[in-house]
Amino acid sequence: MPTFTNHFNTKTLDPFTLEKGYEALLYEMQSGNIGYYDLPKSSVALVEEITPLRLEIEKYYDTIAVVGIGGSSLGIKAIDRLLRPKTPNAKKIVYFENSDPVSILHEMNRIDKTRTLFIIISKSGGTVETLSIFKRLIITFDLVLDHSQQILIISDEGSILSQFADEYHLRRFVIPANVGGRFSVLSSVGIVPLTLAGFDTLSVLHGAQDFLERFLARKEEHVIQKASYYVTHSARMPMNVLFAYSDMFEEFGKWVVQLWGESLGKRNRCGERVGLTPISLIGSVDQHSFLQLIIEGPLNKTVTFMHIKHSDVELLIPKLSLKYLEKSDFVNGISFNHLINAQCQATMQSVLQSGASVDEIEWDKLDEASIGEMILYYELLTSLSGALLEINTYDQPGVELGKQILAGYFQK
């Protein structure tokens, strides 16, 4: 279970603001308009439903090609990256996301057509990148469409992609209508490909449900405090840095950036532009790049330090002293996990001393339940912040405008 510590002063927070945030989320849950709150429990049935399919495809496929972008891929990649070291026998997952021809060709060259299950994911069903790549895959690999067991569709009920699936008698799974793309990782979007790949998604869901229940029982007040602090200080500190100490958090950080940026960069009721800008860093690498700006640049950022207390990998720094290189001998004989955690703590102390606002997330260990908890934590934090900013957390009018302009380019 992760441990959450807010190092900023919570005593100055307005109790009314804290209650306002909690009541807003309670209303959202009870209204049924926002569906991600139900996913940790409702998706358990989905795992059970696709278990026979998982056993079936194990005979034929060793690779899963996920064709999707944004909310249709980032959460899958995050969980895949975090769990891959402890699930080495999981099927290889290849991702087709961007309309970059170099990347598309590179990923296609990694595929054995006869051993690959293609999963096409688009909530709206009309995502131009996804459909364009799908067309390319059909032609390149000469995919048979009608009654194909090699193509699986995940989309909204009634979308054009779902209609396509029904026309060609393809397997398809539904994304609940009240679940937005960036909040959909615990729906069929993430659960189907990750379960079919061989990951323990039930434990992820159980971890998420446990955290949600503790939140509702007011046993996770730090989430409300953090959202309240961020929003009430957003004029002075409009940026949040997630400084995560493990390469395995790189994809998770990208998922957080989408969740945070697309949800919280909006116009409020008065038409004012508001938002909290997410920045994802990896320690200790970015101690040698971005840290200088945090320490001596403007105090306009909050910083979240994230690290793993216990690692499954015990790799030691050799007790080796090399001529001229004795300067680094003080860490000889300790584990790399000990080193990276010490670097995290030292950096966090330096940032605190600089006057920046800091909070800390310590994973006791990296496992499925902890990942589920962390997904719910960031989703709740996003919803709380959006409610306190008095915006619609769940739309993305700015993104839709860009799509309309793009369509116009090719219709002239």
Side-chain angles (χ1 to χ4, degrees):
M1 181 187 300
T3 301
F4 304 87
T5 306
N6 294 331
H7 293 285
F8 48 78
N9 186 2
T10 59
K11 294 180 180 179
T12 60
L13 297 175
D14 179 12
F16 174 78
T17 303
L18 299 176
E19 287 305 310
K20 178 182 176 182
Y22 178 79
E23 292 297 329
L25 259 65
L26 204 58
Y27 173 79
E28 285 185 357
M29 292 182 205
Q30 294 171 347
S31 72
N33 295 327
I34 308 302
Y36 84 83
Y37 301 110
D38 300 322
L39 294 177
K41 186 173 289 187
S42 64
S43 288
V44 170
L46 179 61
V47 176
E48 296 169 351
E49 175 189 346
I50 62 178
T51 296
L53 176 60
R54 179 178 65 82
L55 298 175
E56 177 187 333
I57 70 166
E58 279 182 358
K59 304 174 185 176
Y60 305 105
Y61 307 116
D62 58 22
T63 300
I64 293 176
V66 170
V67 186
I69 193 170
S72 296
S73 64
L74 288 174
I76 307 170
K77 290 181 77 174
I79 296 176
D80 179 7
R81 182 75 181 273
L82 289 167
L83 288 181
R84 181 67 57 172
K86 71 186 301 290
T87 319
N89 294 325
K91 296 184 187 303
K92 178 173 72 175
I93 304 180
V94 175
Y95 297 91
F96 290 93
E97 300 174 282
N98 203 0
S99 43
D100 176 357
V102 176
S103 296
I104 295 170
L105 187 59
H106 173 74
E107 297 304 320
M108 287 195 300
N109 287 336
R110 298 177 60 204
I111 284 179
D112 176 355
K113 174 220 172 176
T114 62
R115 299 287 292 161
T116 300
L117 175 70
F118 296 89
I119 302 182
I120 319 303
I121 309 173
S122 170
K123 179 170 173 61
S124 68
T127 310
V128 67
E129 296 94 338
T130 301
L131 298 185
S132 299
I133 293 171
F134 183 32
K135 293 174 186 176
R136 182 68 263 171
L137 294 172
I138 292 171
I139 296 300
T140 298
F141 294 113
D142 193 23
L143 297 178
V144 176
L145 295 179
D146 198 38
H147 288 88
S148 174
Q149 301 299 302
Q150 197 171 6
I151 301 171
L152 191 154
I153 304 296
I154 301 175
S155 188
D156 274 357
E157 186 67 64
S159 76
I160 56 174
L161 186 57
S162 289
Q163 293 176 52
F164 169 87
D166 292 343
E167 175 72 18
Y168 287 95
H169 310 96
L170 303 175
R171 288 190 181 108
R172 70 175 175 92
F173 292 87
V174 175
I175 305 170
N178 60 356
V179 175
R182 57 189 175 274
F183 288 86
S184 67
V185 63
L186 298 183
S187 74
S188 58
V189 169
I191 295 302
V192 170
L194 289 166
T195 303
L196 295 180
F199 292 105
D200 180 6
T201 51
L202 269 181
S203 293
V204 174
L205 292 171
H206 291 329
Q209 181 64 25
D210 287 347
F211 189 86
L212 180 62
E213 290 175 2
R214 294 200 304 273
F215 173 81
L216 292 173
R218 306 301 291 264
K219 295 179 180 178
E220 300 287 356
E221 290 295 281
H222 58 89
V223 193
I224 307 174
Q225 293 170 352
K226 185 171 173 177
S228 177
Y229 186 87
Y230 280 4
V231 170
T232 56
H233 292 79
S234 60
R236 185 168 63 87
M237 295 181 290
M239 290 176 273
N240 174 251
V241 177
L242 173 58
F243 214 146
Y245 277 71
S246 172
D247 293 336
M248 292 185 293
F249 287 124
E250 184 174 3
E251 305 300 342
F252 182 82
K254 292 178 181 179
W255 174 77
V256 170
V257 165
Q258 189 214 9
L259 182 69
W260 204 249
E262 202 167 44
S263 296
L264 302 181
K266 302 286 173 65
R267 296 180 186 269
N268 63 15
R269 295 177 182 176
C270 301
E272 302 168 324
R273 294 172 179 262
V274 298
L276 294 165
T277 302
I279 300 168
S280 178
L281 302 179
I282 294 295
S284 64
V285 174
D286 288 317
Q287 290 178 195
H288 302 268
S289 57
F290 202 89
L291 180 60
Q292 174 63 34
L293 178 62
I294 296 174
I295 296 288
E296 293 193 333
L299 288 173
N300 58 357
K301 294 170 281 294
T302 57
V303 186
T304 300
F305 284 91
M306 180 184 288
H307 63 103
I308 305 167
K309 186 176 181 180
H310 299 292
S311 173
D312 291 334
V313 177
E314 185 66 17
L315 188 64
L316 298 180
I317 301 168
K319 293 181 179 179
L320 177 63
S321 184
L322 300 172
K323 189 175 181 179
Y324 302 115
L325 307 182
E326 297 88 352
K327 182 179 179 180
S328 65
D329 286 356
F330 69 95
V331 295
N332 283 2
I334 71 168
S335 70
F336 278 96
N337 189 65
H338 185 180
L339 173 60
I340 200 169
N341 276 314
Q343 289 170 316
C344 176
Q345 293 300 317
T347 305
M348 184 171 65
Q349 290 304 315
S350 69
V351 173
L352 279 166
Q353 289 178 27
S354 76
S357 296
V358 169
D359 66 276
E360 179 184 4
I361 301 174
E362 180 183 73
W363 299 54
D364 183 55
K365 61 180 179 178
L366 195 76
D367 60 15
E368 291 85 355
S370 296
I371 291 169
E373 289 186 48
M374 198 58 59
I375 288 169
L376 248 291
Y377 168 81
Y378 268 101
E379 289 179 339
L380 292 172
L381 182 64
T382 302
S383 293
L384 284 163
S385 299
L388 294 176
L389 285 167
E390 299 185 338
I391 58 173
N392 182 346
T393 309
Y394 307 101
D395 67 357
Q396 52 276 337
V399 177
E400 297 306 319
L401 176 60
K403 292 178 182 178
Q404 294 167 16
I405 294 172
L406 174 66
Y409 286 159
F410 294 96
Q411 292 171 358
K412 293 178 182 178

